[in-house]
Amino acid sequence: MGLALSEAGRYIARSIKQSLRLMVGLPDYDVYLTHMMATHPDRAPMSYEDFFRERLEARYGGGKGRCC
């Protein structure tokens, strides 16, 4: 019972964190890393700085940004 409540609390906290990031337009590096490990395991993921720069460019710059 305690473990289930603990897991539920972590899930809710993670969901709130992700929702707040999406509301203000902040990119989520952890989601990107999970995506890269699941979808592109043969490619090295970008550093946080490169990821953040690429996301800003995709949002406000040249119009490209999706890897797939």
Side-chain angles (χ1 to χ4, degrees), residues 14 18 28-41 43 45-46 51 67:
R14 187 174 55 240
Q18 186 174 17
D28 194 333
Y29 188 63
D30 293 335
V31 171
Y32 163 73
L33 289 178
T34 302
H35 168 79
M36 288 300 288
M37 286 181 7
T39 312
H40 309 285
R43 294 170 35 189
M46 292 183 274
F51 170 77
C67 67

Side-chain angles (χ1 to χ4, degrees), residues 1 5 18 23 29-30 36-37 57 59-60:
M1 177 80 176
L5 286 175
Q18 186 174 17
M23 287 173 58
Y29 188 63
D30 293 335
M36 288 300 288
M37 286 181 7
E57 180 68 26
R59 184 171 186 167
Y60 299 111

